[in-house]
Amino acid sequence: MTDFESFRENCLKLRERVAAAESAAARKPGEVKILPVTKNHPIDAVAYAAKLGFKGVGENRVQEAVEKIKSSSLEIEWELIGHLQTNKAKIAAKYFSRIQSLDSARLAQKLDDAAKSEGRMLPVLLEINAGADPAKFGASMDGAAALLESVLALPNLEVQGLMTVAPLDSDLDTASRCFANLRTLRDKLRDSFRIPLPELSMGMSHDLERAIAEGSTMIRVGTFLYGERI
Ligand SMILES: *Cc1c(COP(=O)(O)O)cnc(C)c1O
């Protein structure tokens, strides 16, 4: 992992990339949020982010994140961005400020029960496999409306938007199509259910410009900030 000084420099470079992409897409400067992704890195990665004033970090495994959360007293929000198994719903609802990877009605029911026993509202994003990649998690484009309908019936979950991970492909046009699909889907769901769904979590280190061009409100960035994961 990088040291703090390189992390700080990488942050500056990242902010330049984001600003250029916002400007190219005629979007408001500073509109796109950055979620540093600290998975597979030691707790120092989270400390760096907190020190530079980031509000939250993304982790993709419950077990790894919970160990970090328990061992630190950092003032930061933890977001789950990786696949969540139903048998971990309870612990996830206890430790994460938001779940970005809600991808089935069954998981939604478990999370709602867990949030209720925690006495909290749990913010969630619906993860959609908008690139129809067999290697990726997420509800299908066709299944998204049904999933949203079941989540809206659950009193302890608050749906704030959609999330996707683009298929691995050296051709960035594949990522662009995936991101455009997610945005179109969001617009459709927003109109048919008459709810805002403001958040579009899409874009990572290598495809964030494409995501910002298609309307991303939050990019999730690991490698560009912290270097390669071990
Ligand atoms: C690891 C991960 C990221 C960050 O990817 P980088 O290429 O390292 O920026 C973003 N989103 C999800 C869901 C991830 O698992």
Side-chain angles (χ1 to χ4, degrees):
M1 191 181 73
T2 55
D3 58 18
F4 180 68
E5 269 320 305
S6 333
F7 175 75
R8 190 204 291 277
E9 281 165 28
N10 295 343
C11 277
L12 290 175
K13 286 185 208 144
L14 179 61
R15 291 195 193 284
E16 281 167 18
R17 280 179 70 184
V18 171
E22 285 170 339
S23 153
R27 299 186 53 186
K28 262 204 268 144
E31 183 177 85
V32 178
K33 297 178 286 287
I34 297 168
L35 184 72
V37 174
T38 49
K39 68 179 186 206
N40 290 42
H41 289 304
I43 189 72
D44 287 354
V46 184
Y48 292 178
K51 199 164 165 185
L52 287 195
F54 286 99
K55 275 181 57 188
V57 293
E59 284 278 338
N60 77 330
R61 286 176 49 237
V62 175
Q63 192 59 34
E64 178 185 339
V66 168
E67 279 167 24
K68 289 178 188 171
I69 297 169
K70 283 182 171 170
S71 74
S72 83
S73 52
L74 293 163
E75 277 293 316
I76 200 138
E77 295 183 354
W78 300 79
E79 300 210 29
L80 184 65
I81 59 173
H83 183 62
L84 177 58
Q85 289 169 314
T86 49
N87 63 358
K88 300 222 171 89
K90 214 168 156 50
I91 185 158
K94 182 174 161 89
Y95 287 102
F96 289 95
S97 53
R98 181 161 69 177
I99 309 290
Q100 296 204 5
S101 47
L102 176 47
D103 62 359
S104 76
R106 199 167 104 81
L107 176 60
Q109 183 62 63
K110 297 273 182 205
L111 280 175
D112 185 69
D113 293 343
K116 185 175 181 202
S117 48
E118 287 295 320
R120 66 178 292 206
M121 276 299 282
L122 182 61
V124 297
L125 304 182
L126 306 188
E127 180 175 1
I128 308 296
N129 188 359
D133 179 352
K136 290 280 174 332
F137 289 106
S140 67
M141 292 283 291
D142 289 344
L147 175 58
L148 178 58
E149 192 167 1
S150 18
V151 177
L152 288 174
L154 299 170
N156 306 287
L157 300 185
E158 183 194 339
V159 201
Q160 298 179 333
L162 307 180
M163 181 272 236
T164 198
V165 182
L168 251 192
D169 190 330
S170 53
D171 182 359
L172 283 174
D173 291 345
T174 304
S176 287
R177 279 193 294 275
C178 170
F179 299 146
N181 285 346
L182 194 73
R183 193 215 171 113
T184 307
L185 175 66
R186 189 279 305 273
D187 293 351
K188 261 200 227 155
L189 295 174
R190 188 176 55 187
D191 295 347
S192 53
F193 289 86
R194 295 172 203 279
I195 49 166
L197 295 176
E199 203 85 271
L200 278 179
S201 170
M202 55 189 199
M204 321 193 339
S205 292
H206 68 288
D207 58 16
L208 62 94
E209 281 85 1
R210 297 303 186 99
I212 291 170
E214 300 299 341
S216 171
T217 60
M218 168 173 275
I219 54 172
R220 308 175 307 264
V221 182
T223 311
F224 190 81
L225 289 174
Y226 296 107
E228 294 293 334
R229 286 177 288 272
I230 13 92

